[in-house]
Amino acid sequence: MTQSSSASLELGDTSPRLRRAVWGRKAQGLIVPALALALWETVVRQGWVSAHLLPPPSELVSTLSDLGASGALFEHIGVSSLRVVAGFAIGAALALLVGAAVGLSRRTEALLDPTFQALRAIPSLAWVPLLLLWMGIDESPKITLIAIGVFFPVYLNFVSGVHNVDRKLVEVGDIYGLTGARLIARIFLPASLPNLFTGLRTGLSLAWMFLVAAELIAATRGLGYLLTDGRETGRADLVIVAIIVLALLGKVSDSLLRGLEQRLLHWRDVFDSRQA
């Protein structure tokens, strides 16, 4: 798509030609999954791989339909989504507060950053027994584990964004009398938004990853529980369906966050490969 046509879309041009171009570009992303599914179905139907170990896509559709008809799938999705939303909100909020303090103060950075750098190297599963001892087996340890996974990428990227704010922008803020919270809101936060959204998107993807570890903590509902149930009952179709649903939910949530990013950062004059 040319630069002029992309600009027309931004201005609200909804001509059929431009709409077809946009949808054509989006459809390209379906080519690889479609080919992979066709190859998968063929390999299993030909008997080259055991259907018990790797059920074909047609069988997965049947399993997905049964779970949907019984309502179990939507219950698992709802429970897992709420845990991710709660953990993401808590982890991101704490990362913004701590990241602002560390990014704006060298003394605070020297005091806190080494500890956070050490803590972020701890594997997610290593937190599980400690959280069980501290919080029991209800929702608290699950949400806390997700929040831990979200915190570090948001924190690191936000601190990096604050440190990379152009000094001239800060000087302009000083000229206009901006200090304290006003300086942060008008200068530092907008200038660090690109880095912040990178951290938020990374943290959101890790939230779905940590969800599985979190739902191993004595969960009776959720997609992580569905994975465990499939393993214990020897049903590979349940395991694969849970993995596919996790992938789809991760993609949808990332697309929503990416859409928000594009809306808030539309003012940037950056290279767009779609215009090349």
Side-chain angles (χ1 to χ4, degrees):
M1 183 181 296
T2 64
Q3 184 171 357
S4 60
S5 62
S6 178
S8 297
L9 281 176
E10 292 176 358
L11 294 174
D13 188 340
T14 57
S15 66
R17 182 177 62 83
L18 291 177
R19 287 201 301 269
R20 286 195 299 270
V22 171
W23 283 108
R25 187 177 66 246
K26 291 182 178 180
Q28 292 177 5
L30 299 176
I31 294 176
V32 173
L35 291 175
L37 289 173
L39 180 61
W40 180 356
E41 184 81 24
T42 301
V43 166
V44 178
R45 292 300 179 189
Q46 293 296 324
W48 298 340
V49 177
S50 171
H52 176 71
L53 297 177
L54 186 65
S58 56
E59 183 177 333
L60 298 181
V61 171
S62 177
T63 300
L64 192 61
S65 177
D66 292 340
L67 288 172
S70 66
L73 179 64
F74 301 108
E75 181 182 3
H76 291 312
I77 290 176
V79 170
S80 292
S81 298
L82 286 175
R83 287 168 178 161
V84 167
V85 169
F88 178 78
I90 294 171
L94 290 175
L96 287 174
L97 292 174
V98 178
V102 170
L104 296 172
S105 170
R106 290 189 178 276
R107 178 173 297 179
T108 305
E109 180 180 9
L111 183 65
L112 297 180
D113 191 63
T115 300
F116 287 136
Q117 295 296 339
L119 290 175
R120 76 183 182 92
I122 299 175
S124 60
L125 290 178
W127 292 101
V128 172
L130 186 61
L131 293 177
L132 284 173
L133 288 173
W134 285 353
M135 301 180 179
I137 59 174
D138 58 2
E139 291 298 305
S140 298
K142 301 176 182 63
I143 294 174
T144 300
L145 183 61
I146 296 171
I148 290 172
V150 172
F151 175 87
F152 292 107
V154 178
Y155 163 79
L156 288 173
N157 281 276
F158 188 43
V159 170
S160 176
V162 172
H163 284 169
N164 289 325
V165 171
D166 194 328
R167 179 173 53 84
K168 297 182 181 63
L169 293 176
V170 181
E171 293 174 353
V172 170
D174 290 336
I175 292 174
Y176 282 94
L178 298 178
T179 58
R182 293 179 61 203
L183 183 65
I184 295 173
R186 297 292 298 276
I187 301 295
F188 281 99
L189 184 58
S192 61
L193 274 181
N195 289 75
L196 175 58
F197 269 103
T198 298
L200 288 173
R201 291 179 64 186
T202 304
L204 184 58
S205 65
L206 283 176
W208 289 106
M209 296 180 191
F210 274 60
L211 170 73
V212 176
E215 291 183 338
L216 294 177
I217 306 177
T220 57
R221 295 179 300 169
L223 295 171
Y225 166 75
L226 194 61
L227 282 168
T228 304
D229 185 50
R231 175 183 58 82
E232 292 178 348
T233 57
R235 292 190 58 186
D237 57 329
L238 278 181
V239 174
I240 296 175
V241 162
I243 292 173
I244 292 174
V245 172
L246 282 168
L248 291 175
L249 290 173
K251 172 59 179 173
V252 169
S253 58
D254 180 73
S255 296
L256 293 174
L257 195 55
R258 184 180 181 184
L260 178 62
E261 176 186 12
Q262 291 175 342
R263 180 176 293 273
L264 293 179
L265 300 180
H266 67 278
W267 47 266
R268 292 188 303 167
D269 185 16
V270 297
F271 171 74
D272 188 349
S273 61
R274 296 172 298 181
Q275 301 174 4

